[in-house]
Amino acid sequence: MNSIAQIVVEKTKSSKIGQVDFDHLSFGNIFSDHMLVCDYRNGAWELPKIIPYQPISLDPASKIFHYGQSIFEGMKAYKDKEGSIWLFRPLDNHKRFNISAKRMAMPELPEEFFLEGLKTLLRVDEAWIPKKEGSSLYIRPFMFASGKGFHASPADEYKFIIASAPSGAYFSGKVKVLIEETYSRSANGGVGYAKAGGNYAGQFYPTQLAIQKGYNQVIWTDDNTHEYIEEAGAMNIFVRIKDTLITAPTSDRILDGITRKSILDIAKDEGMQTEVRKINVSEVVEAAKNGTLMEMFGAGTAAVISPISGFGYRNKDYELPELANSYGARLKKRITDIQYNRTEDPFGWRYRV
Ligand code: PLP
Ligand code: COI
């Protein structure tokens, strides 16, 4: 395995940063000046390099186009008041990246390439990390099959890239969700626990149908019985019934979210009662009817904690109450205070770049 004592950096000659309105950032559609690129050839990773952000050229027979071998991660870099740069549990993203790689028969990536590569990229593009409250630099490490051939088998060449995008909120307001009973996101023995591109492509059509009906997102239920709430398109789901915060256990079908597990730890630390167990849809509907359903929210890196305003199920809509001091708001404050270095981090999650 190669080691990356020094990463080659080729800087852009024409920075785009002057064109960016950092006060009005949307999510993930402006890209910073540089990207990290690393190729896997002849059974080994070559040394990564940092180059100006640019299009890539691929052979039409590259297996990514035909068989969808593609995985990604989602992370954020945060800038504190003093200008220091922080990541949140980045080693967990690296671990999950390799779990995804293994499931998709792709080569695992050494930790050093992921972490040292990312740190170097962040130092080069430091000016792209927003300072404004609620904004951050969204980081997208991804890998795909660049090797070619129409044979349906794993490619022999791969590309690992890290690109980033200064971003604001993922959702602009509260989220209204539809509990899905026809389509499934994942199945036992499938790839639901991997951050594989195809998991997301497969959700677009059912999500479009939900959007046409006036919802923003689909809540996936288990593929077998459709009785249990699993997760949303890009978030894990928490339900608060009375004063208990409940989330589904991770499984073959659910992404092991880093925000999810952090929220569980913070909630316990805050003295909130938590349960990790199957959540029956009928239990949530019943709680909505009898007034004990206090909150629902999604949790993820991009979405942070996104409150759910209501849900649809079997052609009926259920509203959630507006709470003054919701668990969601308290947990969001605590996790973002840790991420932006505004408070102590007793968990050791914050990672200085
Ligand atoms: N579930 C899915 C399907 C996701 O895409 C994400 C986003 O990464 C999450 C959950 C939340 O995971 P994390 O908190 O690690 O970002
Ligand atoms: C993230 O939260 O980082 C994700 O990867 C979700 C993504 C689909 C926007």
Side-chain angles (χ1 to χ4, degrees), residues 96 185 195 200 231-236 255 257-259 299-301:
R96 192 170 64 188
R185 175 187 174 272
K195 264 182 97 73
Y200 298 80
E231 66 178 329
M235 309 182 285
N236 296 109
L255 194 80
I258 294 163
T259 316
T301 299

Side-chain angles (χ1 to χ4, degrees), residues 175-181 183-185 203-211 215-221 231-235 237 308:
V175 185
K176 193 175 163 197
V177 297
L178 177 66
I179 298 182
E180 178 63 55
E181 286 197 284
Y183 298 97
S184 300
R185 175 187 174 272
Q203 301 184 75
F204 292 163
Y205 176 63
T207 305
Q208 277 175 343
L209 297 179
I211 289 171
Y215 302 94
N216 311 99
Q217 275 279 313
V218 166
I219 298 247
W220 300 104
T221 51
E231 66 178 329
M235 309 182 285
I237 292 292
I308 291 171

Side-chain angles (χ1 to χ4, degrees), residues 322-326 329:
E322 290 270 352
L323 299 183
N325 189 23
S326 67

